[in-house]
Amino acid sequence: MNNKQMDYVIEVAQTLNFNRAAENLFISQPALSYQIKTVEEEIGFLIFERIGKAIRLTPAGQAFYQQLLGIRQQLLGAIEQGQNFSSQYRDNITIGYPLRSHLYFLPEAIKAFRHQHKEVLITPDIALKDWLTRFREKQVDLILTTREMAEKLPNAVIHPLYTSFIYLLVNPHDPLAQLNQARAHDLMGRTLLVNGGSSQTLRRVQKNVLDQVKLQTLNSPTHDFTMVSVASEQAICLSPGYLKDFSNEFVWVPFDTEETFECVLVSHKDDQRQVVAEFIQLLQDIYQKKAQTLQL
C-alpha cells in the first residue's frame, strides 16, 4: 500500500461515501473503488462493507483506519522535519514538555540560542501522555521534569534547573486569594482536590493537610479537571509552582510547607553534541534567573 492509497482509505472512512470521497480526492469514483479493492486484496480483509448504496467500516476496517491515522501523522511529521533540514538546518534538538505551561521560558531560550546557532532547529514536543516512554525511546533529546521522575529514567544525565515551591491554587474571587501565605487551618470547610496525577511529594503534603484539618476531598483525574474545578470554585488544590501558566486566571498563594520540587532537565548519556551542552547551559541560566523573580 502506497501513500496515496493510505489517503484514499482514510478519506473514504471519514466520509463513508465513495462519491464524496472521490470529489475530495479529485479522482473518479470508479478509480477510487478500484484502489480500495486493491488495498483490501493486499491486506487480506475487507475494510468497508457495502450495504446497498451505503457503506460502513467493518470491525477490522475500523481498527485499520485508526492505525492509519497515526501512521500518516508520523509520516507527515517526518516529511516536514526533513524539509526543514534540507532548507536551512543541519541539526535538531527536540525538547519534551509534559505540559504546555512549561513552555513559558522556551521562546526566550530559542531566540538567544539562534544568535549563536542559526543552523540548529529547536523543536518543542508537548507530550501529554507517555512522555517518559518518548524519552526512553529517544524520540526527544531533552525533557523538563522533576528529579523524582528523572531518577526513573535509564542512561540519563540530570541537569539541575531550579527549586519549585508548593502553592494553594484558587479562583481570584475566593477569599483565600487575599492571603500572603496559606496554612492547613485556612482550608477548613473547603473541598481539596487530591490524587490523580499527583507526585509522591504532593501526596505527602495533601496527607499532612488532611491529618490536620477535616476537609472534603475530590479526586482529580487530570490537570484540566483540576483547572476547571478551581475556576468554577468547586474546589481548591495544592500545586507545584512549575505548573503556573501566568494567565492571571488563578491566584497562586504560597503554602506553608517545607516540601519542594527540584526541577531538572534530562539528557541522554550518549548524546555528546556540543550544541546540546550549550543549549542545556542556556536553559539553566534562564530558568534559574526567572524562577527566583517569578517565585516558581
Side-chain angles (χ1 to χ4, degrees), residues 91 93 113 117 271-280:
D91 204 350
I93 300 174
F113 192 71
H117 297 284
D271 190 347
Q272 300 298 316
R273 288 177 292 169
Q274 181 60 31
V275 290
V276 172
E278 291 181 28
F279 189 57
I280 290 171

Side-chain angles (χ1 to χ4, degrees), residues 24-81:
N24 294 341
L25 293 164
F26 300 103
I27 63 173
S28 67
Q29 189 273 326
L32 177 59
S33 296
Y34 172 78
Q35 291 295 332
I36 296 298
K37 182 179 179 181
T38 299
V39 171
E40 290 177 328
E41 290 175 351
E42 179 183 342
I43 62 180
F45 59 83
L46 291 177
I47 304 172
F48 302 101
E49 183 179 9
R50 283 76 172 173
I51 307 172
K53 294 184 178 180
I55 63 170
R56 68 184 178 190
L57 283 160
T58 64
Q62 178 67 40
F64 185 62
Y65 160 65
Q66 293 295 335
Q67 291 294 322
L68 282 186
L69 286 176
I71 292 170
R72 184 173 68 169
Q73 189 61 40
Q74 291 181 355
L75 178 61
L76 290 175
I79 291 172
E80 289 170 356
Q81 284 290 82

Side-chain angles (χ1 to χ4, degrees), residues 65-130:
Y65 160 65
Q66 293 295 335
Q67 291 294 322
L68 282 186
L69 286 176
I71 292 170
R72 184 173 68 169
Q73 189 61 40
Q74 291 181 355
L75 178 61
L76 290 175
I79 291 172
E80 289 170 356
Q81 284 290 82
Q83 291 171 339
N84 286 338
F85 283 113
S86 66
S87 61
Q88 56 180 311
Y89 299 108
R90 295 205 304 268
D91 204 350
N92 178 47
I93 300 174
T94 302
I95 179 166
Y97 283 75
L99 293 168
R100 290 180 177 86
S101 56
H102 292 180
L103 289 168
Y104 189 70
F105 305 123
L106 189 59
E108 179 179 344
I110 292 176
K111 184 177 180 180
F113 192 71
R114 278 183 57 80
H115 283 302
Q116 300 296 324
H117 297 284
K118 289 183 172 59
E119 77 287 357
V120 179
L121 176 66
I122 305 296
T123 304
D125 186 318
I126 304 172
L128 301 183
K129 295 182 179 180
D130 298 327

